[in-house]
Amino acid sequence: MLNQKKMKRNTIYKILAVCAVIFTTIASCTKLEENPIGVLAPESYFKTEVEVEAAVMGVYSRLARETIYGRKLPITIMLLGDACDIGDQGTPARRIQMNNFVPDANNGLITAFWPEVYRSIGAANAAISGAQSIPNKDGAKTIELVAEARILRAHCYYILVQLFGDIPYIGEFVTDPGLVADASKTPAAEVYQKIIEDCEFAELNLPDTYASGIRCRPTKGSAKTMLASVYLTLGEYDKAARYAEEVINSRATYGYDLVDDFTELWKADNGDMAEHIWTVDFKAGNQTFYNLWAPLTGIRGADMQGWSVVVPSPGLYNLYDSGDHRMEITFITESPFSGVMVPYTNWEISRMHFGKYALYPGAGAASDGSNSGRNYPIYRLAEVYLIAAEALAEVNNGPTTKAYEYINKVRERARFGGTLPADLASGLSKEDFINAVLKERLLEFPLEYKRWFDIKRRQLGTEVFAGTNSIEPHSFDPAKNYLLPIPQSELDRNPNLKPQNPGY
Amino acid sequence: MKKFYSGRYCLNFPPALLKILRVMKLSVLLTCILSVNLMASVYSQQAKFDLNIIDQSVRDVLKTIEKESEFRFFYNDEFTDLDKKLTFTTTDQSIDDLMALVLNNTEVGYRVLDNNFIVITPKSLLQQLKVTGRVTDSDGIPLIGVTVVVEGTNTGAITDIDGTYTIDAANKEATLAFSYIGYNATKVAIDGRSIIDVVMELDVKSLEEVIVIGYGTVKKSDLTGSVASVTSKDLVSFPSLGIDQAVQGRATGIQVTSLNGEPGGGTRIRIRGGTSLNASSDPLYVVDGFAGGAIPPPEDIKSIEILKDASATAIYGSRGANGVVLVTTKSGKTGDTKIEFNSSYSFNKVGKKLELLNATEFAEYINEVRANSGSTSVPFPNPSSYGVGTDWQDIIFKDGSLQNYQLSASGGKESFRFYTSLNYYGQDGIVINSDYKRYSGLTNLDIDAGKNLKVGTRMFFRRSIENGVKSQEGSGGATNTGVISGALIISPTIGIYNEDGSFTTSPIGDPYDNPYATATQYVNESVNDLYQGSTYVDLTIMEGLVFKSTLGVSIRNNRNGNYTPTTLNAGRNVGGDAGIGSSKSTSVLNENYLSYNKVINAVHKLNLMAGHSYQSNRNEWWTSNNNSYITDSYLFWNLDGGADYQLDYSDLSQWELLSYYGRANYNFKDKYLLTFTGRFDGSSRLGKNNKWGFFPSSAFAWNIKQEPFLESFQTLSQLKFRASYGVTGNTDIGVYQSLANFASGVAAINEATVNAVVPSSVANSDLAWESTQQTDIGLDIGFWNGRLNANLDYYYKKTEDLLYNVPLPQYSGYSSSLRNIGSLENKGFELGLSTVNIENSDLSWTSDFNISFSRNKVLSLPSGEVIYKRRPGHLIGDDTHILTEGAPAGSFYGYIYDGVNEADGSPIYRDIAGRDADNKLIMQPDGVVNSDDRTIIGNPHPDYILGFNNTLQYKNFDLNIFFQGVVGNDMMNFTRMELEWVNGKGNQMATVLNRWTPSNTQTDIPVAGAYSSITSTRWVEDGSYVRLKNVSLGYNIPERILQKAGIEKLRVYIGGQNLWTITKYTGYNPDVSYNDGNTSLGLDYGSYPSSRSITFGLNVTF
């Protein structure tokens, strides 16, 4: 009996021991730590320039998206200007609000691109910070990459500061959002200062060109162009003129030249051309880079299967001299429907449409033109000529010979061997000359998001929207409409960003 | 000496017995006593009598014997023999000799029973066929005290401590009836046999029902928590894909919604509401102890227990917050091998069609839109020439079918039991080209390896093949229209084919493919394989102490292939688009636990359990795409034949869970019950500072009926009060959420793609569990011996530390970070009623009714309200939802629609708010309708859900009638938005004939061409419904016919599903959900319609 009990007890002990072994073995096998393989941990990522370069590429991967250059950012800036209007009124209200100057702080365009542009800035900051942590942080290649990240950052801030005025400026890689959670707005002037610092660093350290004439990565020439543009916006015309003329004079070094046939600039399959100074690169047929400019501007119901969203303003067509070669690609007045040519007056949206993006979306685009590989132009040489012309006229209190030369370069190309537009008549007053340059910019760049920034820097809103010669009349409140509202959610999450821009 | 009379019998009882008799039904007791076969006591052998009787009646002699001895007689007072006069003298005579003398020359005999009872009864009853046998339960355990009665007589017996009985049967053809509290009454024909062993099945309705709980079982009467139980009979009353469909409406507190309704389509189950916003609110499924295991088909399932309150779920700790569904599969029983074959075939028809404009009406409408927009073009110059046109719904819908077959064998010898089955389920959808097939097999073995050792396995394999069509397609455009939404919006003026044989495309708006083309051309095939197996060891270490260990593995392999041919827009543009992807998921689980049972002094019952488990999970996934093929015939089987490679993807994620758990049950006299549980869980998925969490619960139950003061309330058969409180968790978030992350992607440089990385998330080392505190108070009441049982529960669940994607200021470069912040509550009341309305030998009728009320409310949110959009992408427009404190999660948000402006037919939205001088929102109209005028316009949560099941049995016929319903929920009908928004982009519902025109101003449909797709009350509908989910009539072929064919049981039935629905909802089916998720409930877009079915079925047992 006693033995039996003992045996039983021994069995129990044995089993308990086995259990204990099982328990502790398994428990000691795991530390419950996650060791992800398909995921990159920031702290251990940066090792060489290769990783830094991939981080710089991260910025591009953000810019070439639907939320930024694929649609939302340019459409906002275009609709604010007076060259572009809404065709199909069934389009989302956010676009109509923007076009009519009644966006609210929850407008879907603003709330879409604001975070994305800041994410691009975050990617640039990550690259800049990562470059400091690699062993070869002072190598030439590393510095070049930092310069590239800095000008990309500057570009993002340049757009934001023009649209919103004072904004939070984040210049460091954020690893703990708590540290920036109560940031205040940085005054616009200070933002511009930082933009200029970044651009100057880029101008010093970027290469003149990249292999294969790549234009989607900024070069020294891009940095100078951007500085010219920034100084023009700031009204520091001497510097604007200086940088613009540096680009013009060194155009051979950078490989820039005006393209003879304006139409060729708009054929996606041509890729980047000599005229392009900086573009946003989209790859055809790749859903990551979602480019919707062809269907956005294409004709609804026509064979091109467009959506008739962004169409020319009612008065735009009549501003051109007849024979202006730019009109051929800028406007579509008839288009095939089921193979039969139909004039625009009989279209579902019976207005003229833009052809720059819709007509030649290129190989690899979908049948409605979406997912085109067409690159979005940020700067073209034509703009540098016009910046130089405008700035010189300002600096010299009237147009100089050079100023005429520069604007007429653009008009000459527009003639395409014809007679109109003729060279600008000499003897114009400073004001008339500058108006002529602004008009030239309007005619040269519809659908290239330049016009709104011209209206803003020259404070032309009341004149161009409520004036007698308005080509797209809208009510316009100069006390309010030069700035967009900061997304309401940002003010909610960080009250230090208050007050909202006036009027919203 | 008192006398006790009852009917024809009379008996002298000792006082103690009398007391018992008062509370028991006398006739039953008498029957028992009459034939109890026990050895005579020592007393009866030793007692000696010296009597001198002179001319006394038998009756008087018996009284004399009672006076002289401890014997008591039991006899029918009306026996004529009792008046016979006797005269005799005895000395030192035994009771047997004495009785022989007394009853000499009479028709009656006697038998001496225990307690010195002597029964006097006609001799015919005492000298019949003796039948003996053993009564056991389904596990072979002897049942003590089972009443055995010869049918139609008063002859009866009670089983002894070994479960054996002996009974005298009236004749060889008689039938024995076995009854035992808590078990189904059983009848067996004697059929000339003298040994009849009987296995009695547990009565599922009974209080003694054994309930499966986590890591153990408990008698239902000992349950302290809230557990709903669904039995196999309910699960297979009509063919269903999975248990989720089968349990809909079957138990309180469980809401089941179809996500789409397509063959093989999923469901959403919520147990007592959704507890989370960003993490999953799905319950934890535990299949034969395998947490997260795959669930076999309903035919292979023995029972489902749904653990609802914290007392029940806390043993699953960090995964218990959303309730736990315990699935127990069938296992074999010792006895002859039983072969069962179940089959059914259903004919399915689309339940409802929407009434749309015909071709002429459509052409007129489009012309009107165009004219109203100021255009001079007339798209359809001669509308009437199109006639009625094409009914696209008729083209894509067809009659479907559903076949379900199951063949199983089960049985076992004394030390070995098995259950094995094969199952086929095949559904041919009601939309052309959609189907689903599933093959599965289950084998369960249980082996008694030694006196104290049991081992066994659970093995399950399954293959399913799904051919899906695009339904619920969220984005339109020219290339991605769904079959169902396409059939509703495409122009009825065109046919399927162009003259050249190619497929037509929409002539209006985007030229999307016609729905017939989309349904027939697009190929989308998923093949899912599963193998799941587990082995257990069950060792009894000493009496009451059992060690159990299980090791299980579940492996899933999925392969999806799709091909968009050049006959469709999306394929035409790219020369055909093929993709193939696979995933492989492996889950390993090891559980080890000890349980200990002890009864102390017969009144204290103690049950302790403690254990440990480790689970790991690994998911691998990869997919590949290519475009541009020379032929469409490769489908997705020649990716290298394409000329334009697309992005490939692969991904790996892993997690681990380590746990320690324990439970203590204490039972005092079956009156007071206490349960304590606790579980420590450590999860890899959480932040490094919060890997471990503890989840305790405690519960108390009081069987009030056991109290003396209720003893005399005989109508009340049960009264139990339950109360529990506990904390459970939810960690069902993706992996790597607590880590900072650089996402890798690509940038385009000169049309080439290069590597790119971007910061994508920030670290949160504090990421922890969601914790849900739940209080439950319940009452179980039964009347008339269980004829009416009611269960009532009130619960309050508060979820804190919500796993919530806290929005960050976006200028930080991040949009959100997963944090533990915010709280919400679910509270509700549940009532379950089961009644036995009629019960007699020919007819029985039982009903089960359940109703559950539940309220969901967001209590606090980190950043105030969140307004968001959950509408299909191509229905471009504004936000649709709001999350705000004080309102239910997923509330609809928009404008109040006030009909149309009589003057111009434009829609009017109500001005309800404005801004004061400080730009503060005030609820005063300001004359402007803008985003300030939006408000909560709907609540997708139902007021209550209900189920009502009736089972009738009449002789060999059985009838089941099952209603199920959801009441008080709002639906946002995006399908109707697209079909009534009058913007000229597609076909519309016939209601649009009543649109505003200058001559028809009294309407609420705006003028053709109005922009009216704003989120408003116009699209919010009452989603309430009650439907006759199942009605089926079965007939059991009589045994005498079957016996010749060697068939034990044969039942044929005819059933109908979803035959009748009461609802005001205008869409196809109110029981759908577009876009699963706790913040997007109650949405309908392009859903697969529900179907009506007629089912023919057969159940055979050999």
Side-chain angles (χ1 to χ4, degrees), chain A residues 10-29:
Chain A
N10 281 342
T11 322
I12 296 167
Y13 289 153
K14 268 183 209 158
I15 284 163
L16 289 176
V18 169
C19 294
V21 169
I22 293 173
F23 286 21
T24 47
T25 315
I26 290 172
S28 60
C29 277

Side-chain angles (χ1 to χ4, degrees), chain B residues 988-1023:
Chain B
Q988 303 282 284
M989 294 226 277
T991 47
V992 166
L993 290 171
N994 185 32
R995 63 187 174 271
W996 185 94
T997 60
S999 59
N1000 181 34
T1001 59
Q1002 300 296 315
T1003 174
D1004 61 353
I1005 308 271
V1007 63
Y1011 175 71
S1012 66
S1013 66
I1014 285 173
T1015 306
S1016 74
T1017 50
R1018 189 175 168 204
W1019 316 117
V1020 177
E1021 297 184 31
D1022 182 353

Side-chain angles (χ1 to χ4, degrees), chain B residues 402-478:
Chain B
L402 196 166
Q403 303 172 60
N404 197 9
Y405 306 104
Q406 189 224 19
L407 181 63
S408 72
S410 68
K413 303 282 184 220
E414 262 169 28
S415 61
F416 174 82
R417 292 168 297 282
F418 73 95
Y419 172 87
T420 184
S421 84
L422 278 174
N423 189 298
Y424 171 78
Y425 178 97
Q427 189 177 357
D428 193 14
I430 50 172
V431 171
I432 48 175
N433 224 17
S434 62
D435 59 66
Y436 178 87
K437 294 185 191 74
R438 183 188 64 201
Y439 312 85
S440 68
L442 177 78
T443 300
N444 291 342
L445 303 176
D446 298 282
I447 299 153
D448 301 333
K451 200 174 168 227
N452 295 321
L453 183 64
K454 278 209 290 189
V455 294
T457 62
R458 300 283 177 267
M459 288 172 282
F460 175 50
F461 67 86
R462 180 179 71 197
R463 159 163 285 198
S464 61
I465 302 166
E466 182 178 353
N467 282 304
V469 295
K470 293 185 177 192
S471 55
Q472 285 199 322
E473 227 50 37
S475 188

Side-chain angles (χ1 to χ4, degrees), chain B residues 1033-1052:
Chain B
L1033 177 66
Y1035 178 68
N1036 280 295
I1037 313 288
E1039 277 174 39
R1040 59 176 190 281
I1041 299 172
L1042 295 177
Q1043 265 170 359
K1044 286 166 199 156
I1047 296 171
E1048 188 181 323
K1049 203 181 141 197
L1050 174 61
R1051 174 174 173 260
V1052 290

Side-chain angles (χ1 to χ4, degrees), chain A residues 8 11-12 15-16 18-19 22-24 26-43 45-46 51 53-62 64-65 88-95 104 106 111 114-115 118-119 122-123 126 168 170 173-178 180-184 211-214 216-217 272 281-289 300-302 305-307 345-350 364-368 373-375 489-490 492-494 497 504, chain B residues 370 373-377 477-479 507-511 539-543 545 547 549 569 573-574 590-594 610-614 618 627 644 646-647 649-652 654-658 660 681-686 691-692 734-763 807-817 819 863 865 867 869 876-879 919 930-931 934 983-985 1011 1013:
Chain A
K8 220 176 198 177
T11 322
I12 296 167
I15 284 163
L16 289 176
V18 169
C19 294
I22 293 173
F23 286 21
T24 47
I26 290 172
S28 60
C29 277
T30 176
K31 294 193 175 95
L32 299 174
E33 271 172 10
E34 293 190 308
N35 298 303
I37 293 169
V39 176
L40 299 173
E43 51 271 19
Y45 168 70
F46 289 102
E51 284 81 23
E53 183 158 17
V56 175
M57 292 300 129
V59 187
Y60 296 105
S61 75
R62 290 246 163 244
R65 285 185 185 219
D88 182 356
Q89 295 295 316
T91 207
R94 55 178 181 264
R95 298 177 186 159
D104 57 36
N106 293 314
T111 56
W114 168 283
Y118 267 110
R119 238 164 261 162
I170 307 297
F173 177 43
V174 177
T175 51
D176 179 0
V180 296
D182 54 358
S184 304
S212 320
I214 293 170
C216 64
R217 295 182 78 169
D272 291 340
D281 205 323
F282 285 87
K283 180 171 162 54
N286 189 317
Q287 289 278 346
T288 313
F289 315 104
R300 183 172 284 284
Q305 305 178 7
W307 306 336
T345 45
N346 280 346
W347 297 349
E348 195 175 328
I349 306 298
S350 48
S367 60
D368 63 358
R374 175 204 307 290
N375 297 348
S489 58
E490 296 287 88
D492 293 346
R493 287 166 209 170
N494 176 9
L497 297 182
Y504 294 104
Chain B
R370 197 63 59 83
S373 74
S375 172
T376 52
S377 71
T479 56
I508 293 294
D510 299 325
L539 179 69
T540 305
I541 299 166
M542 54 182 261
E543 197 186 325
L545 181 64
F547 170 71
S549 178
N569 283 328
N573 296 335
V574 296
N590 173 234
E591 302 260 11
N592 308 288
Y593 60 93
L594 285 162
H612 155 273
S613 90
Y614 170 77
R618 180 183 169 100
N627 285 348
D644 185 12
Q646 302 294 300
L647 290 178
Y649 301 90
S650 64
D651 186 39
L652 167 68
Q654 304 181 83
W655 57 261
E656 293 176 310
L657 185 74
L658 188 60
Y660 300 93
D681 268 341
S683 168
S684 65
R685 284 188 270 194
L686 300 177
K691 293 283 187 202
W692 287 89
V735 294
Y736 315 141
Q737 298 268 355
S738 71
L739 305 179
N741 184 7
F742 269 4
S744 53
V746 288
I749 298 294
N750 209 22
E751 283 284 293
T753 49
V754 297
N755 291 110
V757 300
V758 289
S760 59
S761 63
V762 285
L808 296 172
Q810 311 246 30
Y811 59 77
S812 65
Y814 306 96
S815 52
S816 66
S817 160
R819 300 268 162 121
S863 58
E865 60 192 28
I867 297 167
K869 181 155 78 174
I876 42 187
D878 47 352
D879 291 321
N919 205 25
N930 58 18
S931 59
R934 294 181 295 174
N983 69 4
K985 287 183 175 166
Y1011 175 71
S1013 66

